[in-house]
Amino acid sequence: MDPLHNPFSPGASSPPPELAGRTRILEQARITLGRIKAGRPERSQLLIGLRGVGKTVLLNKIREIAESMGYKPVFIDAHENKPLAALLLLPLRQLLISLDRMSRA
Ligand SMILES: Nc1ncnc2c1ncn2[C@@H]1O[C@H](COP(=O)(O)OP(=O)(O)OP(=O)(O)O)[C@@H](O)[C@H]1O
Ligand SMILES: [Mg+2]
């Protein structure tokens, strides 16, 4: 195959040319985000799967969708030995600073 047009994009978290078979999950993400924005109750989404099935790529896509809907997503890498509060501290602080900058502008 012509290497220039080979659709395979190896490497962790690199977006594939086609996010095959994920329409339903992405549609559910749009519904969840839309309902939360409208103040309606909705269950959170959990992406689980074996190594390399595409969790990170999907998560990044859902983050893009959230941004396009006006959300300010925060990406946190969970850590077994760190409490959630400690993990939230820095990204939430950065988010508050950026919101403050926006409101001043
Ligand atoms: N729906 C998809 N269609 C085609 N290729 C995909 C799809 N999802 C992921 N890939 C490809 O699979 C590879 C692995 O994806 P990704 O890093 O998101 O997996 P992961 O589940 O997060 O892996 P890990 O468990 O190691 O963190 C990447 O090269 C990505 O481009
Ligand atoms: Mg991953």
Side-chain angles (χ1 to χ4, degrees), residues 24-38 40-43 45 65 69 71:
R24 204 176 49 78
I25 295 175
L26 293 175
E27 194 44 43
Q28 184 55 51
R30 282 192 191 91
I31 292 169
T32 300
L33 292 165
R35 283 181 59 88
I36 291 168
K37 209 173 167 185
R40 299 206 167 86
E42 186 54 89
R43 281 186 301 177
Q45 239 177 333
I65 294 171
M69 292 172 78
Y71 282 88

Side-chain angles (χ1 to χ4, degrees), residues 9-16 18-20 22 50-57:
S9 54
S13 318
S14 55
E18 169 68 34
L19 207 51
R22 303 296 189 223
L50 296 173
R51 287 222 70 173
V53 291
K55 301 176 295 292
T56 302
V57 158

Side-chain angles (χ1 to χ4, degrees), residues 1-8:
M1 180 182 233
D2 174 2
L4 263 183
H5 297 107
N6 187 343
F8 179 57

